Each structure stands twice: as C-alpha cells, then as structure tokens.
Amino acid sequence: DLEGLRTRLLAEPLAFFRTLKEQLEALDDTRPESLARLAAASFELGSLTHEIGDQRDALAAYRESLGILRKLAGDHPDVAEYRKQLA
C-alpha cells in the first residue's frame, strides 16, 4: 500500500537525522553555530517523525528544537538568523 511505501521511503532520512542529532548531542558543543545545527536536526527529525505518524515523538523533537532556538535568540539577539529560525 502507499502508506507502507511512504513509511519505508522516510525511514532512511529519519535514521540519518536521528543519528546526526545523537552525534551532535554527544559532542556537547555549546557554540551557537553547533546548537543551531542541533536545533535544525531536531526540527527535521520532528518533521519526518510526524510524516511517519508518530505524533508524540514528533512533538518532543519540535519542542527540543524550539527550546534551543529560544535560548539562541535570547542569548544572541544581534543574530537575525536565530530569530528567523525561531519564528
């Protein structure tokens, strides 16, 4: 069926973003540009997880991304890109 095919096609990018997020977290790099990459990876993970149908995990990933971006925008109000991503 088409839903099964869609889920299988999304599995590979989902695994990639999950692994990327885990690697970025493991580095424990608190530089703003590293945190921005972590926020982006969390957002993509949320999007893909949502597409597959796991709403709870998608929401958790979105919340993580939002929290990181709020901190970045608050800590670096002069960087428009962080405010843009947050919006």
Side-chain angles (χ1 to χ4, degrees):
D1 71 3
L2 288 178
E3 188 62 32
L5 175 62
R6 187 169 145 246
T7 299
R8 286 192 304 278
L9 289 174
L10 291 173
E12 188 173 323
L14 179 66
F16 169 78
F17 280 106
R18 189 170 282 142
T19 300
L20 176 62
K21 179 180 169 296
E22 290 169 359
Q23 289 173 346
L24 290 169
E25 288 173 333
L27 292 174
D28 198 29
D29 186 347
T30 58
R31 291 177 298 156
E33 56 275 1
S34 298
L35 292 174
R37 283 193 291 272
L38 178 58
S42 293
F43 184 84
E44 290 300 325
L45 182 60
S47 295
L48 290 168
T49 304
H50 174 76
E51 287 294 320
I52 289 175
D54 188 342
Q55 305 310 313
R56 187 179 358 195
D57 284 349
L59 186 57
Y62 284 140
R63 283 184 175 148
E64 180 177 8
S65 180
L66 181 62
I68 293 167
L69 289 170
R70 280 183 177 154
K71 179 168 177 30
L72 283 171
D75 290 350
H76 306 279
D78 55 321
V79 181
E81 184 61 29
Y82 300 150
R83 292 189 318 272
K84 177 182 166 190
Q85 290 175 350
L86 179 59

